[in-house]
């Protein structure tokens, strides 16, 4: 239902641009469809839909900021094997949730998607998710090391300072 209404009024709309990145309204629509495909009911009330879309825009902005930083970090890579494994698990979960592949295919078809399109989109989202997750973990580790180093320096400095006071 949501997609049909969107397709009637579909235009390419730029929702937000910053730096060399942009978020289009179609990306928000894709997120809504993903939620709907996962079984979440999408509200009919336009004000509730707007609130949901605003929340999704906030999430996309945060994801884009983290993803932009993660892509610039040349130490991070995502293996195809891991993406394949998680994508297969996500597909099996969807089939389990809806009862059969045929039921999933029918639902996707009603929304104008093929299984191949859905799975390709899902793989890309999983790849981005793994990259962002890895980047966040790396940043936490770096911050922990900096925090730990600062404590060590503070302790060493404090001991030296204390020892200097004892000498006098």
């Amino acid at each position: 239902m949501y997609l049909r209404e969107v397709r009637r009024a579909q235009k390419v709309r730029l929702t937000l641009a910053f730096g060399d990145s942009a978020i289009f309204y179609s990306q928000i629509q894709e997120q809504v469809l993903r939620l709907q495909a996962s079984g979440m009911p999408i509200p009919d009330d336009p004000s509730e839909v707007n609130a949901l879309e605003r929340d999704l825009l906030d999430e996309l902005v945060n994801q884009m900021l983290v993803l932009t930083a993660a892509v610039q970090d040349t130490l991070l890579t995502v293996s195809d094997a891991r993406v394949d494994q998680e994508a297969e698990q996500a597909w099996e979960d969807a089939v389990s949730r809806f009862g059969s592949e045929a039921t999933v295919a029918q639902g996707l078809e009603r929304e104008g998607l093929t299984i191949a399109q859905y799975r390709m989109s899902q793989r890309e989202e999983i790849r981005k998710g793994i990259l962002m997750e890895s980047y966040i973990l790396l940043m936490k580790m770096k911050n922990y090391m900096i925090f730990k180093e600062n404590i060590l320096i503070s302790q060493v400095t404090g001991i030296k300072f204390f020892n200097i006071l004892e000498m006098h």
Side-chain angles (χ1 to χ4, degrees):
M1 180 169 172
Y2 175 81
L3 182 62
R4 284 188 218 119
E5 291 173 17
V6 166
R7 290 217 171 148
R8 275 184 269 192
Q10 192 161 22
K11 303 176 209 169
V12 175
R13 273 186 6 203
L14 179 64
T15 301
L16 182 69
F18 52 93
D20 61 349
S21 301
I23 296 175
F24 293 92
Y25 184 63
S26 61
Q27 290 172 276
I28 296 169
Q29 293 168 336
E30 285 175 20
Q31 293 294 330
V32 171
L33 290 175
R34 221 174 254 110
L35 291 172
Q36 192 174 33
S38 72
M40 180 181 160
I42 304 303
D44 290 327
D45 179 35
S47 64
E48 290 178 22
V49 171
N50 286 339
L52 174 63
E53 289 176 343
R54 259 191 318 279
D55 291 345
L56 292 171
L57 175 61
D58 288 345
E59 284 180 31
L60 286 170
V61 168
N62 291 333
Q63 288 175 3
M64 184 163 289
L65 292 171
V66 171
L67 191 58
T68 299
V71 167
Q72 292 173 354
D73 192 320
T74 57
L75 299 176
L76 295 175
T77 59
V78 178
S79 75
D80 288 337
R82 181 165 177 207
V83 172
D84 291 343
Q85 179 184 11
E86 290 196 25
E88 190 57 37
Q89 183 61 52
W91 176 251
E92 288 173 10
D93 291 347
V95 170
S96 174
R97 197 171 39 254
F98 289 98
S100 71
E101 282 192 27
T103 306
V104 174
Q106 289 170 350
L108 291 171
E109 188 177 313
R110 278 193 304 272
E111 300 302 332
L113 294 171
T114 65
I115 290 175
Q117 290 170 323
Y118 174 76
R119 291 189 77 163
M120 186 172 16
S121 170
Q122 192 177 45
R123 282 181 53 76
E124 186 57 32
E125 289 304 311
I126 288 169
R127 182 176 300 285
K128 287 178 186 178
I130 293 170
L131 186 59
M132 289 187 296
E133 208 174 88
S134 299
Y135 179 75
I136 290 168
L137 181 60
L138 180 64
M139 290 299 100
K140 285 181 179 180
M141 288 172 58
K142 283 181 180 179
N143 286 338
Y144 175 74
M145 296 305 287
I146 291 168
F147 176 73
K148 199 171 175 184
E149 185 177 295
N150 285 340
I151 288 175
L152 181 61
I153 290 169
S154 297
Q155 289 173 345
V156 169
T157 306
I159 292 168
K160 287 180 182 176
F161 181 71
F162 183 71
N163 289 342
I164 293 169
L165 287 177
E166 282 184 351
M167 294 175 152
H168 287 68

